[in-house]
């Protein structure tokens, strides 16, 4: 039997000089100074989560823990850098041996040392999304899958599909059935592609981002000797944003923590909003049961928002049953305005109100960079972008490209531009390049054939496009889709007359583009919403040429001010989806489109699933808690639809979750909101 010998390291004195009691509030101090063991810290919005984690690391170093024994797992590189920099500023100890980084970066670091144990070598390449798509394209070709009759999912969709399999511990068949049911008949072929993709990565000594987690877990499970190395090294493990962990990340944590290492997980169950990408909220809710004897600390003092906003936020989240009990308390004084509930006539009036109120807030001393407009989905920002542009109010968008710059909006526009201007080569080529099997060479030949017909120079479109275009020579793989495209063009110009914009968009989406969306983009539902919103916007135009001119003008202004007043680059209003806004804050926040079917969205209402609805309510809570001083909850009472006329909107059910006395309802009236205004 081996003799047990203990190595005693020279203890470091707590030389930082930090007065932890003075630097932290009582709740933070209790968590930071807790003894070794298993602990869950429920840190509410704006309660100083980063500060708590940073001081916990400093506390460990100040109490004799070697930096090399500490592992800090985060979800973003930015968070990792911020925390390690703060620790360096706090303590005089050498922190270079501390491991801090995202789950993926820590996995990569481990794999670089032990890749040979998995059949790779240490110089393996890490594939980004474009690399993945290239390999998947090659694998699809090698599998010789017949895609002539139906669209096979594009590499981007396959990559998202395979990622969900890895991050949720689900089977491929289950993922397809639950999230990609339109491809269920392709399950056998998709399975072959996945097998080929895995083999190709091994053959090319490459790993994708999911592999950095999956392979790390596999290594630690298959090689107990390697696991022992890291369990002995990391005696103190800290995890940030624990509510966002998925099954693979949790397995990695459990393996490294073992039975004896200290583990402190910090998060907020009320801000768990990423189940769609694999996050499993049951992990944070079940932490005390998985780790018997674990301490649970709750940090409820909020340093961000005024009491009026926090009272509303607390009341809103209480409607959820699956949560840890907590109520955020404001450290700031109250007495300000209550959050405003603002019903408005329609989406355009909603946009006009927000733009006018932004100008008023700026005149009252709130910088534009301290103002945000938040929404559930990117397409809900259409009217806001238009109104801010018209008024010359600068804005930036964190939820994606400006509405009219998005690829799918440009794709749909190409159909309309071509039937209006039949000499528009750019639009024609963009349109036909959507066809499977139709590359640049084939598209160029089709353009030449079109010019030969003579219709490009005539004053009006042909009575029937299909009679002309179906005679063209088409690649065999494109034939069926080309035929549908021709019949769709017929619908855009019935009897040689240009249809209304909204009717054109509907025909394009239903006729050819919906299938393309589903097979091409992993966020096809969101993009479909954009196009439907564009159709509703087009309902306000009778003249297609006027509509296309407006689209061009909106694309070219780039949201910059049209007035003469110079504006600093960072002086812009922020437009953001709520998911993108998590972790950020502004003095004034407008939360828009609070109607059933928009927020919560229709898919969630139709699912009739309490767990899904509760996540949507957590998203609502996240939005509320981004506001520091002023909060405006707005919704249109009617929504003009292309064919059915004005639809009466039902206010979001989330507005029923709190007492009426917590808000102040505004009654907006006055002049025509779309009358000419002075530039900003």
């Amino acid at each position: 039997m081996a003799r047990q010998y203990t190595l005693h390291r020279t203890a470091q004195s707590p030389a930082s000089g930090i007065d932890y009691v003075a630097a932290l509030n009582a709740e933070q101090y209790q968590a930071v100074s807790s003894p070794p063991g298993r602990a869950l810290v429920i840190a509410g919005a704006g309660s100083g989560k980063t500060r708590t984690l940073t001081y916990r690391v400093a506390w460990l170093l100040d109490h004799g823990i070697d930096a090399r024994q500490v592992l800090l797992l985060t979800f973003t590189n930015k968070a990792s850098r911020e925390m390690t920099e703060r620790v360096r500023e706090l303590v005089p100890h050498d922190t270079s041996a501390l491991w801090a980084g995202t789950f993926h970066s820590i996995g990569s670091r481990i794999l670089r040392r032990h890749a040979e144990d998995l059949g790779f070598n240490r110089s393996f390449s890490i594939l980004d999304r474009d690399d993945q798509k290239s390999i998947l394209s090659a694998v699809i070709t090698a599998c010789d899958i017949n895609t002539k009759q139906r669209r096979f999912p594009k590499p981007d969709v396959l990559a998202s599909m395979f990622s969900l399999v890895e991050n949720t511990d689900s089977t491929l068949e289950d993922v397809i059935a639950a999230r990609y049911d339109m491809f269920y008949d392709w399950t056998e072929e998709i399975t072959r592609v996945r097998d080929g993709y895995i083999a190709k990565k091994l053959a090319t000594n490459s790993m994708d981002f999911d592999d950095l987690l999956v392979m790390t877990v596999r290594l630690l499970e298959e090689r107990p000797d390697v696991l022992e190395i890291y369990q002995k090294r990391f005696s103190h493990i800290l995890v940030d944003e624990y509510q966002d962990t998925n099954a693979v990340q949790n397995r990695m944590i459990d393996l490294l923590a073992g039975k004896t290492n200290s583990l402190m997980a910090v998060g907020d169950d009320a801000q768990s909003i990423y189940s769609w990408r694999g996050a499993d909220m049951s992990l944070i809710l079940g932490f005390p049961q998985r780790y018997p004897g674990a301490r649970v600390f709750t940090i409820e003092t909020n340093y961000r928002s005024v009491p009026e906003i926090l009272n509303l936020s607390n009341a809103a989240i209480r409607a959820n049953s699956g949560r840890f009990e907590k109520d955020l308390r404001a450290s700031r004084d109250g007495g300000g305005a209550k959050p405003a509930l603002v019903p408005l006539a329609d989406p355009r009036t909603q946009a006009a109100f927000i733009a006018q109120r932004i100008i008023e807030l700026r005149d009252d001393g709130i910088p534009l960079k301290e103002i945000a407009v938040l929404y559930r989905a990117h397409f809900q920002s259409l009217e806001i972008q238009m109104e801010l542009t018209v008024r010359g109010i600068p804005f930036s968008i964190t939820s994606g490209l400006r509405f009219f710059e998005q690829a799918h909006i440009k794709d749909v526009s190409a159909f309309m531009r071509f039937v209006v201007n039949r000499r528009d080569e750019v639009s024609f080529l963009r349109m036909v390049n959507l066809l499977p099997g139709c590359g640049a060479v084939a598209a160029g030949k089709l353009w030449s054939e079109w010019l030969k017909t003579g219709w490009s120079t005539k004053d009006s479109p042909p009575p029937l496009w299909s009679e002309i275009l179906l005679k063209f020579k088409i690649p065999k793989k494109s034939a069926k889709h080309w035929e549908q495209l021709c019949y769709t063009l017929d619908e855009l110009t019935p009897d040689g007359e240009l249809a209304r914009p909204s009717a054109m968009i509907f025909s394009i989406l239903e006729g050819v583009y919906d299938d393309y969306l589903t097979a091409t983009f992993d966020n096809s539902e969101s993009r479909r919403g954009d196009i439907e919103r564009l159709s509703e916007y087009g309902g306000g135009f009778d003249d297609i040429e006027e509509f296309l001119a407006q689209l061009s003008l909106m694309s070219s202004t780039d949201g910059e001010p049209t007035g003469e007043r110079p504006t600093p680059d960072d002086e812009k209003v922020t437009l953001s989806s709520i998911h993108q806004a998590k972790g950020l804050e502004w003095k004034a926040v407008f939360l828009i489109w609070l109607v059933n079917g928009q927020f919560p969205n229709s898919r969630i209402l139709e699912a009739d699933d309490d767990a899904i609805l509760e996540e949507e309510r957590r998203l609502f809570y996240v939005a509320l808690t981004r506001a520091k001083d002023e909060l405006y909850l707005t919704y249109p009472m009617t929504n003009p639809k292309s064919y059915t006329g004005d639809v009466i909107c039902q206010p979001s059910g989330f507005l029923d979750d709190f007492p009426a006395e917590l808000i102040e309802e505004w009654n907006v009236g006055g002049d025509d909101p779309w009358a000419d205004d002075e530039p900003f």
Side-chain angles (χ1 to χ4, degrees):
M1 178 181 289
R3 177 183 297 185
Q4 191 68 30
Y5 183 84
T6 303
L7 182 64
H8 299 285
R9 298 184 182 275
T10 303
Q12 293 177 317
S13 60
S16 69
I18 298 173
D19 185 343
Y20 289 92
V21 174
L24 305 166
N25 66 35
E27 297 165 338
Q28 293 169 339
Y29 177 76
Q30 191 176 20
V32 165
S33 62
S34 62
R38 309 300 171 91
L40 175 64
V41 181
I42 301 297
S47 66
K49 169 182 66 66
T50 300
R51 186 177 185 83
T52 300
L53 267 174
T54 302
Y55 274 79
R56 175 62 174 179
V57 175
W59 174 276
L60 293 174
L61 300 180
D62 256 352
H63 287 76
I65 302 300
D66 193 316
R68 71 189 303 275
Q69 294 177 281
V70 179
L71 172 63
L72 173 59
L73 291 164
T74 66
F75 272 81
T76 66
N77 289 314
K78 179 182 176 182
S80 173
R81 288 193 300 269
E82 181 181 352
M83 289 185 203
T84 52
E85 286 169 6
R86 288 196 193 182
V87 170
R88 290 192 193 101
E89 293 170 358
L90 285 172
V91 299
H93 315 304
D94 179 11
T95 61
S96 59
L98 184 152
W99 278 33
T102 64
F103 283 87
H104 294 87
S105 66
I106 296 300
S108 174
R109 197 167 176 178
I110 292 173
L111 290 170
R112 289 292 178 196
R113 301 180 174 198
H114 308 281
E116 289 88 347
D117 295 325
L118 297 169
F120 296 82
N121 66 50
R122 298 184 184 189
S123 60
F124 64 84
S125 299
I126 299 176
L127 306 172
D128 62 18
R129 192 64 161 211
D130 285 339
D131 298 330
Q132 280 184 278
K133 288 160 65 174
S134 296
I135 290 181
L136 283 166
S137 295
V139 171
I140 293 169
T141 301
C143 288
D144 194 26
I145 296 170
N146 183 358
T147 60
K148 292 178 181 178
Q149 299 303 315
R150 291 181 294 123
R151 287 190 186 272
F152 189 70
K154 296 288 187 181
D156 203 35
V157 176
L158 291 170
S160 295
M161 196 183 292
F162 298 161
S163 181
L164 272 175
V165 172
E166 302 294 3
N167 287 301
T168 60
D169 268 357
S170 302
T171 66
L172 177 59
E173 186 171 358
D174 286 345
V175 166
I176 294 173
R179 308 253 188 139
Y180 301 92
D181 59 321
M182 69 291 295
F183 298 125
Y184 195 77
D185 290 343
W186 286 112
T187 299
E188 182 181 341
E189 290 84 355
I190 293 172
T191 300
R192 285 166 49 204
V193 171
R194 181 165 181 257
D195 292 342
Y197 176 58
I198 292 171
K200 190 77 169 178
K201 286 187 292 182
L202 183 60
T204 59
N205 195 38
S206 304
M207 297 188 194
D208 60 31
F209 281 101
D210 293 320
D211 290 328
L212 299 180
L213 301 180
V214 174
M215 291 297 182
T216 300
V217 168
R218 179 181 154 193
L219 172 73
L220 298 177
E221 289 179 335
E222 294 181 357
R223 291 296 302 271
D225 54 331
V226 174
L227 175 61
E228 185 179 10
I229 291 171
Y230 292 100
Q231 284 182 338
K232 285 185 175 180
R233 170 157 188 167
F234 300 127
S235 59
H236 290 269
I237 300 170
L238 298 94
V239 184
D240 186 24
E241 302 286 8
Y242 187 70
Q243 78 280 350
D244 294 334
T245 51
N246 60 37
V248 181
Q249 290 161 332
N250 187 66
R251 184 62 184 148
M252 182 174 166
I253 293 168
D254 283 347
L255 286 164
L256 293 173
K259 295 181 179 179
T260 59
N261 286 337
S262 289
L263 169 63
M264 176 174 283
V266 181
D268 183 7
D269 57 294
Q271 296 187 70
S272 178
I273 57 174
Y274 293 114
S275 67
W276 49 275
R277 67 183 188 195
D280 184 353
M281 185 183 171
S282 69
L283 297 174
I284 189 170
L285 293 179
F287 189 95
Q289 289 71 45
R290 287 201 319 282
Y291 300 105
R295 299 177 180 85
V296 179
F297 302 97
T298 304
I299 304 178
E300 299 174 299
T301 304
N302 176 285
Y303 294 92
R304 175 185 299 155
S305 307
V306 294
E308 291 81 3
I309 292 174
L310 291 185
N311 292 338
L312 180 66
S313 304
N314 288 329
I317 199 62
R318 283 192 199 108
N320 275 8
S321 58
R323 67 187 187 94
F324 286 102
E325 287 292 333
K326 70 174 183 300
D327 274 318
L328 295 179
R329 300 184 304 273
S331 66
R332 300 177 57 190
D333 294 331
K338 292 180 180 179
L341 179 63
V342 192
L344 295 144
D346 51 41
R348 291 188 172 189
T349 309
Q350 177 178 244
F353 165 76
I354 291 168
Q356 179 174 310
R357 189 68 188 131
I358 285 172
I359 294 172
E360 292 168 351
L361 291 171
R362 183 193 176 280
D363 290 344
D364 288 341
I366 297 180
L368 293 182
K369 65 182 179 181
E370 285 286 355
I371 302 173
V373 181
L374 305 183
Y375 34 81
R376 175 65 176 83
H378 185 56
F379 67 82
Q380 294 167 349
S381 68
L382 169 58
E383 290 85 5
I384 306 297
Q385 291 187 45
M386 290 176 53
E387 183 69 5
L388 295 182
T389 301
V390 169
R391 295 194 186 218
I393 301 174
F395 62 92
S396 61
I397 302 177
T398 65
S399 55
L401 293 171
R402 296 178 188 275
F403 190 88
F404 299 106
E405 296 171 355
Q406 299 174 104
H408 49 291
I409 298 298
K410 289 186 174 182
D411 288 344
V412 170
S413 300
F415 284 80
M416 296 184 285
R417 292 182 192 279
F418 175 64
V419 296
V420 170
N421 174 17
R422 290 156 302 279
R423 286 184 287 177
D424 187 341
E425 181 180 1
V426 172
S427 293
F428 179 90
L429 295 178
R430 185 178 190 111
M431 180 178 70
V432 299
N433 275 328
L434 301 177
L435 301 173
C438 189
V441 174
K445 290 180 179 178
L446 288 173
W447 175 248
S448 297
E449 288 202 54
W450 166 247
L451 293 179
K452 291 175 184 177
T453 67
W455 277 99
S456 63
T457 57
K458 295 187 178 182
D459 293 335
S460 59
L464 281 176
W465 293 85
S466 54
E467 285 189 357
I468 300 167
L469 301 181
L470 288 177
K471 298 175 183 177
F472 290 9
K473 294 180 180 179
I474 299 295
K476 189 174 181 180
K477 189 175 181 180
S478 308
K480 179 181 178 182
H481 302 280
W482 173 254
E483 180 180 349
Q484 185 58 54
L485 183 148
C486 295
Y487 291 135
T488 297
L489 292 178
D490 287 342
E491 294 182 18
L492 304 190
T493 58
D495 299 320
E497 298 293 329
L498 295 168
R500 295 185 63 198
S502 58
M504 284 193 182
I505 296 168
F506 178 82
S507 293
I508 296 163
L509 180 61
E510 295 297 313
V512 292
Y513 201 68
D514 194 42
D515 285 346
Y516 176 81
L517 271 180
T518 302
T520 306
F521 301 111
D522 61 341
N523 60 342
S524 58
E525 182 180 341
S526 173
R527 292 175 187 255
R528 189 174 296 108
D530 287 343
I531 296 169
E532 290 170 351
R533 195 81 198 103
L534 181 68
S535 177
E536 292 165 10
Y537 169 62
F541 295 82
D542 292 321
D543 188 331
I544 183 63
E545 293 179 350
E546 181 187 350
F547 175 74
L548 291 175
Q550 185 68 25
L551 261 60
S552 297
L553 291 172
M554 292 298 296
S555 298
S556 62
T557 53
D558 198 33
E560 293 301 324
T562 55
E564 296 180 358
R565 183 183 306 173
T567 308
D569 289 342
D570 63 345
E571 193 58 4
K572 296 180 180 181
V573 175
T574 299
L575 272 57
S576 176
S577 70
I578 303 168
H579 283 100
Q580 292 288 335
K582 185 174 177 290
L584 304 177
E585 59 185 40
W586 295 271
K587 287 184 179 294
V589 168
F590 295 84
L591 179 56
I592 67 173
W593 274 104
L594 288 171
V595 299
N596 282 339
Q598 299 286 346
F599 193 14
N601 73 23
S602 55
R603 176 181 53 81
I604 286 169
L605 292 175
E606 292 165 2
D608 194 25
D609 185 321
D610 288 343
I612 297 175
L613 184 61
E614 290 206 352
E615 176 163 343
E616 191 82 343
R617 186 177 285 111
R618 292 194 295 273
L619 191 63
F620 180 61
Y621 172 83
V622 167
L624 300 180
T625 54
R626 299 310 94 198
K628 295 192 282 189
D629 300 336
E630 300 194 32
L631 175 63
Y632 299 86
L633 310 176
T634 73
Y635 66 90
M637 293 181 284
T638 63
N639 186 16
K641 294 288 186 179
S642 304
Y643 298 102
T644 56
D646 288 357
V647 174
I648 303 298
C649 296
Q650 181 182 0
S652 171
F654 296 152
L655 299 176
D656 298 328
D657 289 338
F658 45 78
E661 61 266 21
L662 295 182
I663 57 172
E664 178 183 38
E665 186 164 350
W666 289 28
N667 183 18
V668 176
D671 299 333
D672 179 5
W674 288 85
D676 291 338
D677 292 289
E678 291 295 323
F680 178 69

